[in-house]
Amino acid sequence: MKTYDFNQQYISKIEQEVALSTENVQVHYGKSHAIFDASLDFPRFQITSLIGASGSGKSTYLRCLNRMNDRIAQVDGKILYRNTDINSKTINVYEVRRHIGMVFQRPNPFAKSIRENILFALKNNGINDKKELQERLETSLRDAALWDEVKDDLDKSALALSGGQQQRLCIARSIAMHPDILLLDEPASALDPISTSKIEETLKLLSKSYTIIIVTHNMQQASRISDYTAFFHMGHIIEYNQTKNIFTAPEIKATEDYISGDFG
Amino acid sequence: MKTYDFNQQYISKIEQEVALSTENVQVHYGKSHAIFDASLDFPRFQITSLIGASGSGKSTYLRCLNRMNDRIAQVDGKILYRNTDINSKTINVYEVRRHIGMVFQRPNPFAKSIRENILFALKNNGINDKKELQERLETSLRDAALWDEVKDDLDKSALALSGGQQQRLCIARSIAMHPDILLLDEPASALDPISTSKIEETLKLLSKSYTIIIVTHNMQQASRISDYTAFFHMGHIIEYNQTKNIFTAPEIKATEDYISGDFG
Amino acid sequence: MNAKKSDKLATGMIYGLVGIVVSILVALLGYILYNGVPDINWHFLTSEAQSFSAGGGVRDQLFNSLYLLVLALIISFPIALGAGIYLSEYAKDNWVTDIIRTSIEVLSSLPSVVVGLFGYLLLVIQLNMGFSILAGAIALTFFNLPLLTRNIEESLRSVPDLQREAGTSLGLSGWKTITKIILPMALPGILTGLILCSGRIFGEAAALIYTAGQSAPSVDYGNWNLFTETSFLNPMRPAETLAVHIWKVNTESVTPDSSAISSASSAVLIIVILIFNLGARYLGNKLFKKMTASK
Amino acid sequence: SNSSSATKSSSSEVSGKITAVGSTALQPLVEKAAGDFQKDNSKINITVQGGGSGTGLSQVQDGSVKVGNSDIFAEQKDGIDAKKLVDHKVAVVGMAPVVNKDAGVKNVTMDQLKQIFTGKITNWKDLGGKDEKITVVNRAEGSGTRATFESAVLGGEKAIKSQEQDSNGTVQKIVSTTPGAISYLAFSYINDKVEALSIDDVKATDDNVADNKWKIWSYEHMYTKGDPKDATKKFIEYMKSDDVQKKLVKDMGYISTNDMKVQKDSKGTVSDK
Amino acid sequence: MDDIQTRLQKSSRATRQDYFGKVICYSCIGLIILLVACILYFIASKGLATFTKNGVNFWNFLTQSDWKPGDVDKYGNPQVGALPMIVTSFSVTILAALLATPFAIGTAIFMTEIANKRGAKFLQPVIELLVGIPSVVYGFIGLSLIVPFIRGIFGGTGFGILSGTLVLFVMVLPTITSLSVDSLKSVPMHYRQASLALGATRWQTIYKVILKAAAPGLLTAVIFGMARAFGEALAVQMVIGNAILMPKNLISPASTLTSKLTTEIGNTVMGTLPNNALWSLALVLLFMSLLFNLIVRFIGRRGNIKNER
Ligand SMILES: Nc1ncnc2c1ncn2[C@@H]1O[C@H](COP(=O)(O)OP(=O)(O)OP(=O)(O)O)[C@@H](O)[C@H]1O
Ligand SMILES: Nc1ncnc2c1ncn2[C@@H]1O[C@H](COP(=O)(O)OP(=O)(O)OP(=O)(O)O)[C@@H](O)[C@H]1O
Ligand SMILES: [Mg+2]
Ligand SMILES: [Mg+2]
């Protein structure tokens, strides 16, 4: 692996309204430094993808954005959401996570029925209206391209689904909460192309009213769906720009190498 | 999802030497029928990819090939390897698995050091020569495109690696055994493009002396690396042919639909 | 083929070990049941114990054992649950936790006599509870707590972290995640622990001799007012349990049929535990299926 | 209620709660008597518990319980101020050496018995029995039974270190199953599974105890702190009444104090009654 | 928008729930700690009185073998030597654990790795059942079966460390087994898969992967068994002979700390030397179990460090 000069980076300014931004975020796992000085603005109602080699810190960074790293890692710096630094100690983290939903790399449905998986958090959130629940159940499953496959088995255990089905269920579960921002960590890495493209369509649709940040290994996916792309390299954000710029004319050598290492 | 006529299938005969073949393999999970009458021949020193929608039974079928389903599912039918039905009760399954290695969808390294992960099975196998072990350690890690990243940390716990690194370690672990046939269940779904392409190159190289069967969701991957492709649909093998035929001129509608659902 | 041979050898060895264990178990249970079951009859189960004439039964002792068990579990389970959750979910990996763990383990290795005497001095004398079911139940709690706590902690830990992440990422509070998602998944394990503890409570004698007492004054099974002296539910009355009864009959009894009573009581005890085990297991499975909606 | 109620001794108005704790040997007798007593005195609630003579004495001395049951004189216990306690002797218990049946010995002299328990005679053949090692099973240090036996038999010498057991039931079982074993038991625990020895050709019977021909016996005591009052007084009177002494005491294998022709004090001195 | 902003700053139902949960859990753990502290204080104050109030020399207590708290020796010192009981307690515990561990772990392996569902389903309740058999019953079975058996084979009286060991072996077997089963079960399924896929035999998988991953849990299981053996009184008391003699061999009568404690405690008067001396035995028991725990903790930690690096 080549080594690059990390001072050489290109972070473009966002012209649009910013939904979420980080300022000098540092992450340490114990003594090991995993994210260095990450400062990014995520534009509202856009899809931003985070790309980079395995181990470059994409997941780590993403998990900071809704405070999922709280107990695992030491996160310093500012994360601004609605003019509030949500990385501060006094913040209500539950409220943060309610507005900033997350879907993980490995599917993690609850050991409950499919229905309960979707409705559990909603009910906890005080939504008790039967009709509303039913409606959210159906639309979220539809949006995650799972409805047709499970509509007759809603009371079956979610654990009996295949890996791909489970992952789509997790996406549905997150969507059902109507979050403001949706974080996805390689959500499609376990999905077949049909489901993947459905999910991508969904994300595209959702981006009309949601801000979406997605980690992906799939260059095509990144270029196809995202408006902005950030390139991670060994814990540093090396380049951040509109996706079309990144993929057609990267400013930095490291980015170019990574993208052209790809197999278009 | 459309329904298709499962009688309508196209399984091409293999002209070359056959390394492994199945005859009327049926798999049941309890009462649910997961694989119907799967009969395939896998050509020697070629890469065969298994594609199909999520839940279509690819993993289930693959796991039969080295008896990994033994305690989970009921597998009927014949699996022929070197003129022996390795699905018979009297077979030494350990020997089977030694010659037919497997890499899983989810990385599953042992909670041991990186070195120990690779050497574990070798030592079990009675290889104790220090030099030989060291050599296999290095080449297997190199082949899995992991050597550069871990060569200084061989005694670090494998669990401290990122997901992608872990998966590459698992591949290395399998390669180190010098198996005859290598089964891979979406081995690259957690990998970044650079590692993926390195793995693909490795597989290509390995296919000179190994028979490789790989489950993948990635159409490009299938078309890029595999010589033969089998298309699974709801537990049935619908079409099996040389990869170029499958991707350019599928015989069956279901296959065509699936492939064109893709985003080339 | 060396590996295969050693596999065969080891498997054979394990079968051998298990064979010995099973024969010990079967012989032991067989011995107790063979000696005891012939003397069990309806009269034995429904009549009072006699102090020096033959023909006594174990009605009160049996009831007392059950009542004490329920009471002890009611007291100890919630505490153990809280402590178990603390250890698996909240405790940080530092010296404070180390001290907590060590003290819990020390508690579990205290000899029952010591716990009994401590209970006697603290509960019976100091807190003026007298020899009573309540004092007995609290003394049993001392035993139970470490076992239950440990078991609950481990059951909770065995639930994958993916589940915690799922709950957390949906904005659920840690508490909700634990109680509604992690706990149901850990339930079968917790239940096993509960059964094991119940077994110990049932068989415990030494700690009860000094706390719940060793006499069973006759009580009125029709009196549901637990604040009256004669009520069978009164937690402040002394109560000899089945295990204590066995001990007493074996050591100081002058009844002519003491050995028959002792074997029959042992058999009854084991049968009750058996019923309890199977019942709890059945219930646990049902509960698990219901809570996780798996089929 | 105060002293006035104590005078109307037969009225059932007396009420109260009595806890009697202590000697496990005495427990069944008191428990049974208490049960009968409460049938006529429904307002009195009696709890009888074991715990050992030491426990009984220390609890009654502390005032934690009303009655301390003991099979040893309070004077013989360290740490008990006997002056504060009032002794109520409710029964007499005789004890006899017992041996395993195949020892082949039925009678010993007092001196031989002493030599066995001090470890000077170690084989039954020295006593005309089988060639078999003598296994001494003593009673727990500090127990009333042991104190009685040692003061009657050992005359101040120390018993050898040997097995110790604390309950009649266990001793009976051990002696009956261990070849060559010797120990001693209260009369009520002697059955045909063990051989009760005669001493100097005197048989272990109630009658021989009554006139002190049989030397190994002691009282069962119920101690109160100061003179008993109210319910306690009534109950102890009941324990000494003919109802209990003539029937219950005999049924349980004890000897009634009324039948005794002699008395013993805490130092072991026997005098005529 | 402002609404959300304020909600981010304010506590919500979830924070309150979490707070509530924390309070509950911390109180529970606090209660347990308090309890342990109470017991420790109680035993320590009574047990130390032997040395502080009654003037017994602590070193003599640990190293001498004459136990006659009621008497004094020729120099006028109380004879309180606990060595025989300490040695015996250690012997029965360690022997019982040594004997039970292979059987227990073998059974646990059988139940989790080898047996089909039905086999495990049969064994589990049987083993749990055994935990519930009262000590007295074990004691009497020991007295009726094991003591005569030992007497028949080795001669002597049959009472002694060997009989105690055998009884304890049966008593701790279920404890160690069920705890071992738990710890084996908690080894992730994918370890087994990975190992099997590499062609490792079942035994290799068990021995090199599963047992290793479960080692701390297994160690804990054994320690728990030892703790139970250590504290066991009623059963041991019936078969060990209760003679305060230095054990010369495995079949001569001996006495453990607990058996002495149980036999005598009822006959002594609270606050006197004979009573305090017994509490000193309890204190020794406590101290030894503390020591065991610390050793395990130490071993466990070293194991972990090795794994992580
Ligand atoms: N829980 C953890 N404890 C310690 N180190 C960790 C932990 N998780 C990740 N790391 C380390 O932090 C670095 C970044 O890991 P991260 O998982 O964020 O990478 P990634 O970009 O998501 O990789 P991948 O594409 O493989 O998922 C890696 O070097 C990894 O070893
Ligand atoms: N252990 C199991 N028990 C019961 N049913 C199972 C099990 N594993 C898989 N199945 C079922 O068998 C069918 C085939 O599953 P399989 O995992 O083989 O699909 P797949 O093609 O590998 O899907 P994916 O691409 O999502 O991995 C699915 O319907 C699934 O629900
Ligand atoms: Mg990642
Ligand atoms: Mg699969």
Side-chain angles (χ1 to χ4, degrees), chain B residues 63 66 68 71-72 94 97-98 100-102 104 108-113 120-121 123-125 155-157 159 173-174 177, chain E residues 112-117 190-205 208-209 212-213 306-309:
Chain B
R63 293 166 57 89
N66 71 342
M68 287 300 289
R71 306 194 72 197
I72 308 163
Y94 313 116
R97 292 178 193 142
R98 212 162 279 166
I100 309 182
M102 182 154 201
F104 296 83
N108 55 0
F110 300 125
K112 299 173 187 278
S113 69
F120 169 76
K123 285 184 185 161
N124 270 343
N125 230 344
D155 292 310
K156 216 172 75 171
S157 167
L159 299 181
R173 190 172 62 180
S174 235
M177 292 284 292
Chain E
T112 52
E113 313 295 329
I114 296 178
N116 52 13
K117 278 223 172 82
H190 67 70
Y191 280 19
R192 296 180 178 88
Q193 269 184 0
S195 175
L196 288 177
L198 289 168
T201 62
R202 185 162 65 191
W203 177 241
Q204 285 169 333
T205 306
K208 297 195 177 152
V209 178
K212 233 178 214 160
K306 230 170 116 195
N307 266 344
E308 284 309 321
R309 219 178 29 84

Side-chain angles (χ1 to χ4, degrees), chain A residues 169-185:
Chain A
L169 178 64
C170 293
I171 295 177
R173 187 173 65 181
S174 234
I175 297 175
M177 294 286 291
H178 293 177
D180 201 14
I181 300 175
L182 199 55
L183 313 176
L184 303 106
D185 192 348

Side-chain angles (χ1 to χ4, degrees), chain D residues 202 205-215 217 259-262 270 272:
Chain D
V202 177
T205 63
D206 290 2
D207 290 344
N208 286 336
V209 169
D211 50 17
N212 199 36
K213 273 200 204 115
W214 182 266
K215 300 274 183 334
W217 58 271
D259 294 345
M260 293 299 290
K261 303 195 177 73
V262 293
V270 177
D272 286 336

Side-chain angles (χ1 to χ4, degrees), chain E residues 169-190:
Chain E
F169 158 66
V170 181
M171 291 185 75
V172 300
L173 194 61
T175 311
I176 304 184
T177 307
S178 25
L179 288 172
S180 301
V181 166
D182 289 348
S183 96
L184 289 179
K185 272 193 186 152
S186 69
V187 175
M189 202 59 210
H190 67 70

Side-chain angles (χ1 to χ4, degrees), chain C residues 52 120 125 213-215 251-252, chain D residues 27 48-49 59 169 189 252:
Chain C
F52 58 93
Y120 172 65
I125 307 290
Q214 23 177 328
S215 67
T251 51
E252 294 292 354
Chain D
Q27 190 195 345
V48 186
Q49 298 297 339
Q59 291 317 314
Y189 292 91
M252 307 287 267

Side-chain angles (χ1 to χ4, degrees), chain A residues 17 81-84 86 90-96 98-99 106 123-126 180, chain E residues 1-19 22 190:
Chain A
E17 188 187 348
Y81 170 64
R82 296 187 183 249
N83 297 324
T84 315
I86 57 171
T90 58
I91 281 295
N92 180 342
V93 289
Y94 312 111
E95 209 56 41
V96 169
R98 209 162 279 168
H99 295 104
R106 291 185 183 183
K123 284 182 186 160
N124 261 310
N125 229 344
D180 201 14
Chain E
M1 166 121 186
D2 272 344
D3 181 36
I4 289 179
Q5 204 174 355
T6 44
R7 268 161 65 187
L8 284 173
Q9 313 266 17
K10 265 195 355 216
S11 67
S12 64
R13 201 165 80 172
T15 13
R16 282 191 299 275
Q17 273 170 0
D18 225 26
Y19 186 70
K22 268 195 186 145
H190 67 70

